[in-house]
Structure formats: structure tokens, C-alpha cells
Amino acid sequence: MRLLLRFTGASSSGKTQDFGSCIRRFESSRPSQAEPGPLKNFDGKAKMNGFSIFTGNSNPGLAKKICNHLEIPLGGAKVTTFSDGEIQIEIEENVRSKDVFILQSTCAPVNNNLVELLLLIDAFKRSSAKRITAVIPYYGYSRQDKKVAPRVPISAKLVADLLTVSGADRIITMDLHAGQIQGFFNIPVDNLFAAQVMIEYIRENMKNDTIIVSPDAGGVERARAYAKRLKTSLAIIDKRRELPNQAKAMAVIGDVAGKTAVIIDDMVDTAGTLVEAVDALMAYGAKEVHACCSHAVLSGPAIERISKSRIKSLAVTDTIPLGAPGAACEKINVLSIAKLVGEAIIRSHRGDSVTSLFI
């Protein structure tokens, strides 16, 4: 009873005791462990410690550029494979109660990079991260966003479900093939656009009479946005696809004669559509043809087709790292989106608006 009275702040005589005299510091379960030092006042850089950026193996170069822009170190994570091909993940630093950003493009090898991302998300969730944001500059499977034939999957929706179930709290991506993919998620999605970088490039390098060209009907909205900001005209190529990864440009809607045509698209894969578009524009009298594509997938014979085509230049971003053949192609210019993505990351962490990044 005397012990109970001491905890309730009263003595055996009924008089109230000073609570301060009853407070005892809890000792560590490890007596040899050093006592934590006093808390320090936060300065500008100390506040940045509230979040960390990690990367898988898909695009470490872009992750390092983003960290250099934000003036923070890249987080330590070991992403390797066992001898049988299974992926091994190990986080090499404390992330408890941190805001974690995982940068991973789901480019080739698509399935390996996707599973790496899912395992990284799960590892951070089990490490008690406060919030996990998957930064996916290139969202693989985005072209499979609807049923185009009986008995086929909607793969973009399945990938969205996998990311959500694995523990992602937010998605930051860039130039989705179809904007409605954002609706496949039940978590917030920020779909950034490479337009800021591309428009600046066009203004600096193509100062003659230019016309913006959409390579198909599906890209008209994107091309119109470019044309509006560049205050130039718009043309559209009527394209019909006979087989997967094979396309033929049929006609050009708009006056391109004597002008510098700039094709705007979200990605270049096998470059079949791009080369057909270049030939069609030259046949309709275009002076020269350039192209700007956000994602340089460049699979199959893409590099060979671009090198042999009459295209003057192809500007791409570093959402997907170029392989050796792509880097050696003189017609391909790589523009970095590190500053844009870095700005989105820091604004997301601080709770600031990212509206100004959506142009």
C-alpha cells in the first residue's frame, strides 16, 4: 500500500508529495550502451535527414543526379541476386520513421526491375519507414492499359495493384502512356511531364519555322500542349497499325511544307512508328524532321532504324538509361529530368504543391 501511495503522489501521512522526487529514469536493457547525447537544433541540412532516396539497379545514374541536385547522399541498399536468380534486398541504414523515396524505372529487364521495386517497398515497410513513395520515371506495362482483344489481361492495372499491396503510399511517375492509369491506383499519383525540359530544348535548338507533329491520334492532346506553349501550328499523322510493334504512316493532316517538323511522343520503342512518320513528313515537303520522346525504350532494331532514317535528331530523357549502342548514336541527345524529379520529391516531402510542375 505504501508503494501504491508513492506512485499516486501521496505519502503515508496523506500529504501530497512532489512528483519530481518520484520520477525515475528508465535504464537501458543494455547497461553498457552509451547514453544518448542532447538533441541538437535543426538547421537547413538537418531537416533533410527526414527523408532518404534509394535506388534499385534499373537507373542508378538518374538517382545519383537527383541526389546531387538535392545535395543529399544516396541511401545505402544492397540489391543483388542469389545463384538461382532470386533477388536479395538488404537496407544498409536505419529508415525508421523516415520518408523514403525509391527510384526505379520498370524498363528492360522489365520483370526483374519490377520485382526489385516490389521487394524494396516491402523491405522498407518492414523496416518501419514512415511513408514510402515509389518514384517510377518509366512505368512499364503502361501500354497494356485496356482490353484490345478477348481473354487478355489489363497489365497496367495489375502492376498498380502489386505496387499498392506491397506497401507503396504514393507514386511519382512521368509521362504515363495513358493518363487514366492514375485511376488504377487507390493511392495518390503524381504524373509529371517532361514538357518543361523538352520545350526549353526546342526553343534553344529549333528557332526556324517549326511545326509540332503528333505521330498518331492518341498523342494529339500532348502535341497540342507543346504547340500552344511554343506558339506554333500543329499537324497530325494518320497511322494504322497492322501488327504489334509494326505501324505504317498513311497521311499527314496539316501543312508541313518548308517547315521544321518536330514529332512529339511519350516513347520510342522499336522506332517503326517514328521512321514511318519521318518518311511521311518528308514526302509532304517538310524541310527537316526532329523528334522529342520522353522514354527511350529503343528495343530491337530501333538504333539501326534511327541511324539509317532521315531524321535529323532525336531528343530523349534519362528516365531509361541508354545502352552502349544508343549512347554511340550521334542523332540521339539525352536531356536530364533529374532537377524536375528532385523538385517533385522535395515538395512531396515538405507537403508543398507540385501543381507548377504539371505543364
Side-chain angles (χ1 to χ4, degrees):
M1 186 63 178
R2 288 173 60 84
L3 180 62
L4 177 62
L5 289 172
R6 285 177 61 81
F7 278 117
T8 56
S11 65
S12 57
S13 61
K15 294 182 180 180
T16 304
Q17 280 189 337
D18 181 11
F19 274 96
S21 63
C22 299
I23 296 175
R24 295 291 184 269
R25 178 172 60 87
F26 287 101
E27 296 292 338
S28 170
S29 59
R30 301 179 185 175
S32 61
Q33 185 175 358
E35 216 176 304
L39 292 174
K40 298 180 180 179
N41 292 328
F42 285 100
D43 55 18
K45 288 190 175 180
K47 290 181 180 179
M48 304 291 276
N49 291 332
F51 80 98
S52 295
I53 297 176
F54 295 83
T55 184
N57 291 319
S58 71
N59 202 340
L62 177 58
K64 291 176 182 176
K65 290 179 184 177
I66 293 171
C67 289
N68 288 338
H69 170 68
L70 296 176
E71 298 181 352
I72 62 171
L74 182 63
K78 184 171 70 174
V79 185
T80 57
T81 56
F82 292 103
S83 58
D84 63 350
E86 290 183 0
I87 296 170
Q88 178 189 20
I89 304 290
E90 184 178 347
I91 312 304
E92 298 178 327
E93 60 186 73
N94 181 26
V95 294
R96 186 177 295 273
S97 299
K98 275 194 174 184
D99 201 359
V100 170
F101 295 84
I102 309 168
L103 189 135
Q104 179 87 330
S105 284
T106 48
C107 52
V110 181
N111 297 327
N112 278 7
N113 288 330
L114 176 59
V115 174
E116 269 189 19
L117 176 58
L118 296 174
L119 294 178
L120 279 165
I121 293 171
D122 185 72
F124 284 111
K125 179 178 69 175
R126 296 177 187 279
S127 301
S128 302
K130 180 180 179 181
R131 186 178 68 160
I132 303 169
T133 301
V135 183
I136 313 173
Y138 171 68
Y139 186 91
Y141 288 102
S142 63
R143 285 173 284 182
Q144 300 182 46
D145 61 325
K146 57 184 176 292
K147 291 189 68 173
V148 295
R151 298 175 297 281
V152 297
I154 303 178
S155 305
K157 174 65 169 72
L158 177 59
V159 171
D161 289 342
L162 290 171
L163 290 167
T164 304
V165 171
S166 64
D169 298 300
R170 190 179 196 91
I171 304 293
I172 296 177
T173 186
M174 176 164 287
D175 278 322
L176 286 171
H177 185 67
Q180 62 266 25
I181 291 176
Q182 297 172 78
F184 291 168
F185 291 89
N186 292 322
I187 57 177
V189 178
D190 293 322
N191 181 29
L192 306 177
F193 301 100
Q196 288 191 22
V197 178
M198 293 294 189
I199 288 174
E200 183 179 352
Y201 170 82
I202 294 171
R203 283 174 176 161
E204 291 179 355
N205 295 277
M206 301 164 203
K207 299 180 180 179
N208 298 325
D209 189 14
T210 60
I211 182 170
I212 300 299
V213 181
S214 172
D216 52 35
V220 172
E221 183 179 356
R222 182 185 300 107
R224 185 188 293 118
Y226 276 74
K228 180 180 179 181
R229 285 165 178 79
L230 291 167
K231 298 180 180 179
T232 186
S233 52
L234 174 68
I236 305 168
I237 295 178
D238 175 30
K239 179 191 73 175
R240 296 182 185 178
R241 189 181 298 275
E242 302 295 336
L243 295 171
N245 294 329
Q246 295 184 17
K248 185 175 181 180
M250 303 297 293
V252 176
I253 303 170
D255 183 17
V256 298
K259 297 181 180 180
T260 299
V262 183
I263 300 171
I264 303 295
D265 208 352
D266 65 316
M267 70 176 70
V268 52
D269 188 356
T270 60
T273 297
L274 180 62
V275 170
E276 292 286 351
V278 171
D279 291 340
L281 291 168
M282 295 300 291
Y284 275 75
K287 183 170 61 176
E288 58 184 37
V289 181
H290 302 262
C292 294
C293 302
S294 301
H295 309 300
V297 179
L298 299 178
S299 65
I303 301 298
E304 182 182 358
R305 286 175 173 174
I306 292 169
S307 299
K308 293 181 178 179
S309 72
R310 291 184 285 177
I311 190 171
K312 194 79 171 178
S313 70
L314 168 63
V316 299
T317 70
D318 53 356
T319 57
I320 299 174
L322 284 184
C329 182
E330 295 181 354
K331 293 184 177 181
I332 299 178
N333 301 315
V334 180
L335 312 177
S336 182
I337 46 97
K339 184 177 180 181
L340 178 61
V341 176
E343 189 66 23
I345 287 175
I346 192 62
R347 291 189 187 190
S348 176
H349 170 65
R350 291 175 175 170
D352 296 337
S353 172
V354 296
T355 303
S356 62
L357 303 179
F358 302 143
I359 74 163

